[in-house]
C-alpha cells in the first residue's frame, strides 16, 4: 500500500524536471542523478509511511526471555531516509543559479533601515 498514487508521483516528477531546466548545463547530469534518487526515495518514504500508519510507531520485540516495546523498524528507516531525502533536495536546489536581486528594492530596503537608526 502506498500513500501517493502514480498520478501524484508523475506530478512531483514533472515539478522536479522543471527545476532541472533551471540548472546550468554543466551541472545537469548531477541534477538528473539527484532527481532519480529523490524520486526513488519518495516512493520508499511513501511505503514506510503506510507501514507506520498501519502498524504504529512502536513494535513489540520478543527474543527468548527478552521482551519490550521499541521504535518500529519502519519508523527508524523513515527517519533516516527523510534526512537523506532532504539533503538530496538541498543539493538539487544548490545546483540552481543564485536568484537575481532587484537592486532598486535592495537599495530601498537599505535606505529604509539606515533612516531608522
Amino acid at each position: 500500500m502506498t500513500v501517493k498514487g502514480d498520478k501524484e508521483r508523475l506530478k512531483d516528477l514533472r515539478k522536479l524536471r522543471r527545476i532541472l531546466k533551471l540548472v546550468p548545463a554543466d551541472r545537469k547530469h548531477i541534477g538528473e542523478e539527484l532527481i532519480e534518487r529523490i524520486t526513488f526515495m519518495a516512493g520508499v518514504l511513501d511505503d514506510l509511511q503506510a507501514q507506520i500508519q498501519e502498524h504504529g510507531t512502536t513494535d513489540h520485540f520478543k527474543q527468548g526471555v527478552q521482551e519490550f516495546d521499541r521504535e518500529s523498524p519502519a519508523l527508524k528507516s523513515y527517519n533516516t531516509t527523510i534526512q537523506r531525502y532532504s539533503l538530496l533536495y538541498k543539493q538539487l536546489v544548490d545546483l540552481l543559479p543564485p536568484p537575481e536581486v532587484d537592486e532598486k528594492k535592495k537599495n530601498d530596503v537599505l535606505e529604509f533601515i539606515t533612516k531608522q537608526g
Side-chain angles (χ1 to χ4, degrees):
M1 178 175 124
T2 59
V3 176
K4 282 190 174 181
D6 289 339
K7 285 184 181 181
E8 289 85 7
R9 283 208 182 122
L10 286 174
K11 187 176 176 182
D12 291 345
L13 185 58
R14 279 194 292 274
K15 288 178 186 176
L16 289 171
R17 294 268 180 228
R18 276 186 289 222
I19 291 172
L20 185 62
K21 288 180 182 179
L22 301 173
V23 173
D26 63 329
R27 298 177 177 180
K28 254 191 212 320
H29 67 283
I30 298 168
E32 290 168 352
E33 281 288 321
L34 290 171
I35 286 174
E36 187 178 318
R37 301 294 175 244
I38 289 168
T39 304
F40 172 77
M41 291 177 92
V44 170
L45 287 167
D46 288 343
D47 291 344
L48 290 168
Q49 183 177 343
Q51 287 179 35
I52 294 164
Q53 287 174 336
E54 186 176 332
H55 301 290
T57 57
T58 58
D59 182 49
H60 189 73
F61 177 79
K62 183 177 181 179
Q63 183 177 26
V65 293
Q66 273 191 326
E67 190 173 339
F68 54 89
D69 287 335
R70 64 178 181 177
E71 177 182 41
S72 79
L75 181 60
K76 196 171 191 172
S77 294
Y78 182 90
N79 288 334
T80 300
T81 305
I82 194 75
Q83 288 176 338
R84 298 212 171 101
Y85 176 84
S86 298
L87 180 62
L88 288 179
Y89 237 108
K90 182 184 180 328
Q91 288 175 339
L92 179 62
V93 170
D94 288 347
L95 292 177
L96 297 173
E100 293 181 19
V101 177
D102 184 342
E103 287 300 321
K104 181 181 178 344
K105 286 183 182 178
K106 181 179 173 183
N107 291 335
D108 289 347
V109 170
L110 185 58
E111 184 180 321
F112 175 77
I113 292 171
T114 54
K115 284 184 180 179
Q116 299 302 313

